[in-house]
Structure formats: structure tokens, C-alpha cells
Amino acid sequence: MKPSHVEHIGIAVKNLDASIRFYEEILGLQCYNIEEVKDQKVRTAFLQVGDTKIELLESTDPDGPIGKFVEKKGEGVHHVAFAVENIKEELAHAKQKGIRLIDHQPRKGAEGLDIAFLHPKSTHGTLIELCEDKTKINSH
Amino acid sequence: MKPSHVEHIGIAVKNLDASIRFYEEILGLQCYNIEEVKDQKVRTAFLQVGDTKIELLESTDPDGPIGKFVEKKGEGVHHVAFAVENIKEELAHAKQKGIRLIDHQPRKGAEGLDIAFLHPKSTHGTLIELCEDKTKINSH
């Protein structure tokens, strides 16, 4: 595996609109998209900084993964996503090395990317996402 | 403020060597430096991915900030650092907007950068660091 960059940092927040205001007015970033990901029970806002997106995540359901995370740990970084060229190969490589996978096959995430999570029990505590952007690779 | 990129992601870990092995062998990154920051009571390893560094932080003292963080929250992302051109101006701007600062003046962090932290109570939960790399700006 050789990720090209940090594709995004997923940050769990209680109030999406107030958080967007902080990142826009204080940090000077710009929110370019808000999207609801129904199967993850989140409303998500995206802000770009260099190669990386800040992905703010507000739960739409207290029983969803972000709702539970905020309940247990409070607001803050929920996951770190690395851009890879071939997510299927990387998952097979990680599995072969004994890494516990949350997603054994890639699934569709926000912004149409193919994504999969590695379990934090195998990554020294950080929930790590792998992302493949097929449109980018096809355009190279 | 308009940060240019995510300078680094600081990740608190219990065992630096085991964590480096994960990031090298599974994610395919390479550790290029290990440094002890005595006043922060940490041993730090750096791995580059795109514009961003992964900064792994192992506490050298259970009473240090990383030791306390791991005790309270477990391993995982501790802070997110944004690269800015003029850290003094950005701190003044944030303060003027009512943001609570941990560092009112920049101080020296790892790798010789000028750094300052914003308080997570003012940032919707994420410990945010600002970094200015004077050598980079002078060389432009």
C-alpha cells in the first residue's frame, strides 16, 4: 500500500451549521458541499484545505455510528481517510497481514468514492478509512 | 486565516515502535524521523503522506498531556495541525473573534516549527494546532 495523501479527516460534531461557521469564519476554509449519507445516518459538510478535505459529520439519529461516538467520546476526530489507487488490493493486503477489517469489500461512501474501514483494534486506535476515487484514476 | 494544507495529524499511541510498524508495513508509509520533545513529555515519529505528516506521539510520562489523553480517551487522533503563513496574525485574528487560545504566543514545536494550539472548547471539539514553518516561507 502506498497512499498518495490524506483524502479527508472525518470530524464528529453536534451541530453541523455552527461547526461550518467555525471552519469558515475562523480557519478561513470554504464549505463547498453538504450531503446526507442515509445509510450512515449523517449529514456531512466538506471543506477543502490543500489535498485534504475536512468532513464534518453530524448524526441524524442518536443510534447511528456518529451519534454513538459523540455520546461516548464527545465531539472530535472520528476517522482519517487515505487515498489509495486500488482499494480491493489494499484490503486483501491488509487482511493477509492479519488486520481486522470492518468492510471486507469496498462500498460507496460520500462523494461517490469507494471506501472501506480498517478496525481501530488493528490500527493502534485510529479508525482508518481507505478511499479510491475511480473518476480520478480513470482520468489519469 | 487561510491555511495551505493539513501540516500534520497528531496521533496518540501507547507503543511508538509497534505503531510505526503498522504505518510502515500495512499503510506503506516511511518513518523518516524520531524526536523527543521533552517539554511535552513525548517521543514522536514522523511519516509523510502527500503534503501531510502523520505524527505518532508516545508519552514518556503518564502525567504528560499525551499520557493523560490516552488514559482518558484511549489511543487515537489527538490533534490536527494546519499550516499557516503568519501564526501571530492568525492567533490575533482568532482571539479577536472570541476563540479561546491555549497558546497566546507561538512556541517551538517538533521539527523547529512555530506552533500554537486553539482550545477544543472553541473549535467544536477538535484540538487544533496552527504551524508556521519559517524556513519554508523564507525560501519562497
Side-chain angles (χ1 to χ4, degrees), chain B residues 7-77:
Chain B
E7 212 280 332
H8 66 265
I9 301 171
I11 299 178
V13 299
K14 288 180 182 169
N15 182 316
L16 196 66
D17 297 332
S19 303
I20 291 170
R21 272 202 301 282
F22 167 77
Y23 282 89
E24 289 195 330
E25 291 176 14
I26 307 301
L27 283 193
L29 307 183
Q30 203 182 347
C31 175
Y32 65 89
N33 187 23
I34 294 179
E35 189 178 323
E36 188 167 344
V37 184
K38 289 204 170 167
D39 75 327
Q40 292 296 302
K41 299 175 179 170
V42 287
R43 214 160 61 93
T44 304
F46 296 93
L47 307 97
Q48 186 86 33
V49 53
D51 281 344
T52 301
K53 294 161 197 154
I54 302 298
E55 181 183 300
L56 302 175
L57 302 153
E58 179 195 75
S59 188
T60 55
D61 180 335
D63 290 332
I66 295 300
K68 283 184 189 164
F69 176 89
V70 170
E71 172 73 25
K72 191 174 159 197
K73 298 206 170 194
E75 295 180 295
V77 175

Side-chain angles (χ1 to χ4, degrees), chain A residues 6 8 13 15 18 22 26 33 43 58-60 67 79 89 91 100 104 109 119 123 137 140:
Chain A
V6 176
H8 66 266
V13 299
N15 182 318
F22 167 77
I26 307 301
N33 187 23
R43 213 160 62 94
E58 179 196 74
S59 188
T60 55
H79 65 272
E89 270 181 29
L91 284 176
R100 189 166 153 191
H104 289 262
H119 198 287
T123 66
I137 288 164
H140 278 193

Side-chain angles (χ1 to χ4, degrees), chain A residues 1-100:
Chain A
M1 194 176 311
K2 179 63 190 154
S4 56
H5 59 281
V6 176
E7 211 279 334
H8 66 266
I9 301 172
I11 300 179
V13 299
K14 287 181 183 169
N15 182 318
L16 197 66
D17 297 331
S19 303
I20 292 170
R21 272 202 301 281
F22 167 77
Y23 282 89
E24 289 196 329
E25 291 176 14
I26 307 301
L27 283 193
L29 308 183
Q30 203 182 345
C31 174
Y32 66 88
N33 187 23
I34 294 179
E35 189 178 324
E36 188 167 345
V37 184
K38 289 204 170 165
D39 76 324
Q40 291 297 302
K41 298 173 179 172
V42 288
R43 213 160 62 94
T44 305
F46 297 91
L47 307 96
Q48 187 86 32
V49 52
D51 282 343
T52 301
K53 295 161 198 155
I54 301 298
E55 181 184 300
L56 302 174
L57 301 154
E58 179 196 74
S59 188
T60 55
D61 180 336
D63 290 331
I66 295 300
K68 284 184 188 164
F69 177 89
V70 170
E71 173 72 26
K72 191 174 159 195
K73 297 206 168 191
E75 295 180 295
V77 175
H78 176 260
H79 65 272
V80 178
F82 293 94
V84 297
E85 283 212 357
N86 188 324
I87 192 169
K88 282 192 177 176
E89 270 181 29
E90 303 307 359
L91 284 176
H93 166 79
K95 190 175 179 181
Q96 183 255 326
K97 291 268 189 183
I99 298 299
R100 189 166 153 191

